[in-house]
Amino acid sequence: MKTGIEDIEFHGIPALRLLGPQGSSAVISKLGAQVLSWITPDGRERLYLSDKAVFDGSVAIRGGVPVCFPQFSDRGDLPKHGLVRTRVWSESARRSGDDYALVTLETGDDDTTRALWPHAFRLELTAMIEADRLDLELCVVNTGTAAFEFTGALHTYVRVVQVEDAALEGLYGHDYRDAANGNRVVNESGTELAVDSETDRVYRRVRRPQLLRAGNLSLGIQQQGFPDVVVWNPWVEKCAALADMPADGWRHMLCIEAAAADDRQEVAAGDEWYGRQTLVVV
Ligand SMILES: O=P(O)(O)OC[C@H]1O[C@@H](O)[C@H](O)[C@@H](O)[C@@H]1O
């Protein structure tokens, strides 16, 4: 099967489908530069997308990989998770070869962003699939004349059959800020994180990869540039309060986010900052 890129409509919005090697594929929406589907050669969908997600740009699409910038969550005065999830990005590159397919989407400042955040910037999100691998890279370019600071994330919703069966390794010994428990800072003493209640944790300065095991799913997750790993599951009650999630949505997702949540990242005038997250089926 030939690799390539197709222009498609996905739930009524412009999107690109990446056709990778061995039948792998991915869909990235121009709304938010959000990867909404990643299917591996075994035919399995690896990302969670809510069947109550809203695609009209009024709110962020619930699922896939939202791009959060220049603010992570509600840690500042800007709208939650920043300004770019509901923007329409434009395509700046597409390429494919025997063993990969890649697209880059970009957006930048305008009157709307500058009214809330007075900085000149360009963002580029590159998504690349290989047979069993999804690579995401966020490039933040400071196109202005003064330095700025930002927080943000690649807010990846991993699809799981049953989150109660999930175990996430690789976070042992790290401090985390427990946003589900009054933001207290705790040192992780477990070798495996199990999710059995609302979970909203910012693991700080993580340098090791993680391994997610859930039923017969095994996913390796690695990041560069982003200092923190955020693990989020709303569990039953918080999920019920989210209008764009089905009642059992919490069970089928686990967000494992490459984030700069607690450490602001500085970008000097004219400089570029890169953050990456890689998901590999192992
Ligand atoms: O509902 P939103 O804006 O997509 O945010 C979802 C969640 O995103 C996570 O990254 C945060 O840690 C949570 O606190 C937050 O609730």
Side-chain angles (χ1 to χ4, degrees):
M1 208 184 299
K2 230 174 126 23
T3 63
I5 319 287
E6 292 174 344
D7 292 278
I8 60 164
E9 275 207 356
F10 191 79
H11 293 269
I13 53 172
L16 299 163
R17 189 189 307 280
L18 287 75
L19 301 167
Q22 299 170 34
S24 62
S25 66
V27 172
I28 182 165
S29 154
K30 290 191 178 172
L31 183 63
Q34 196 160 331
V35 178
L36 296 176
S37 164
W38 172 40
I39 297 175
T40 40
D42 55 9
R44 282 176 72 168
E45 175 58 67
R46 302 288 171 168
L47 298 178
Y48 174 80
L49 177 61
S50 167
D51 43 19
K52 292 178 81 180
V54 177
F55 294 91
D56 64 6
S58 60
V59 292
I61 301 167
R62 175 74 61 195
V65 187
V67 178
C68 306
F69 174 91
Q71 176 180 296
F72 177 77
S73 195
D74 51 7
R75 312 277 294 167
D77 300 331
L78 295 178
K80 192 170 175 202
H81 285 316
L83 305 174
V84 298
R85 292 192 295 175
T86 51
R87 289 175 74 77
V88 177
W89 297 45
S90 56
E91 179 184 334
S92 57
R94 65 167 77 184
R95 279 202 299 280
S96 60
D98 288 346
D99 50 7
Y100 76 99
L102 168 157
V103 297
T104 301
L105 300 183
E106 67 173 47
T107 191
D109 61 292
D110 62 9
D111 290 347
T112 316
T113 64
R114 285 190 298 269
L116 293 165
W117 195 64
H119 300 290
F121 69 90
R122 190 173 73 247
L123 284 190
E124 294 173 358
L125 191 277
T126 298
M128 179 172 83
I129 53 169
E130 295 174 66
D132 273 315
R133 177 182 169 113
L134 171 66
D135 275 292
L136 300 170
E137 178 185 272
L138 180 68
C139 172
V140 178
V141 187
N142 183 342
T143 53
T145 52
F148 64 64
E149 292 185 334
F150 72 93
T151 56
L154 296 172
H155 192 305
T156 306
Y157 286 72
V158 176
R159 169 176 285 276
V160 292
V161 175
Q162 199 160 282
V163 78
E164 297 98 311
D165 295 338
L168 185 63
E169 293 173 25
L171 298 168
Y172 174 80
H174 290 86
D175 282 343
Y176 64 90
R177 176 170 61 76
D178 192 348
N181 283 297
N183 283 320
R184 69 198 177 110
V185 176
V186 183
N187 188 263
E188 180 59 79
S189 58
T191 52
E192 286 187 351
L193 169 63
V195 177
D196 54 12
S197 59
E198 184 196 348
T199 303
D200 193 354
R201 300 180 177 182
V202 176
Y203 285 89
R204 292 170 166 168
R205 292 168 211 147
V206 178
R207 300 206 199 290
R208 292 197 297 263
Q210 293 85 57
L211 177 66
L212 175 69
R213 286 184 293 104
N216 63 357
L217 162 106
S218 257
L219 206 58
I221 301 158
Q222 192 156 20
Q223 66 186 46
Q224 289 174 308
F226 289 103
D228 308 320
V229 173
V230 176
V231 183
W232 180 62
N233 182 287
W235 208 248
V236 184
E237 279 112 59
K238 282 263 169 76
C239 180
L242 295 170
D244 56 358
M245 282 285 271
D248 68 344
W250 62 274
R251 173 162 278 152
H252 303 303
M253 55 146 288
L254 182 62
C255 284
I256 304 171
E257 309 165 32
D262 284 359
D263 290 336
R264 307 179 79 75
Q265 306 295 298
E266 184 174 305
V267 191
D271 266 8
E272 297 175 353
W273 177 98
Y274 289 89
R276 300 183 184 90
Q277 187 187 48
T278 298
L279 308 179
V280 191
V281 176
V282 287

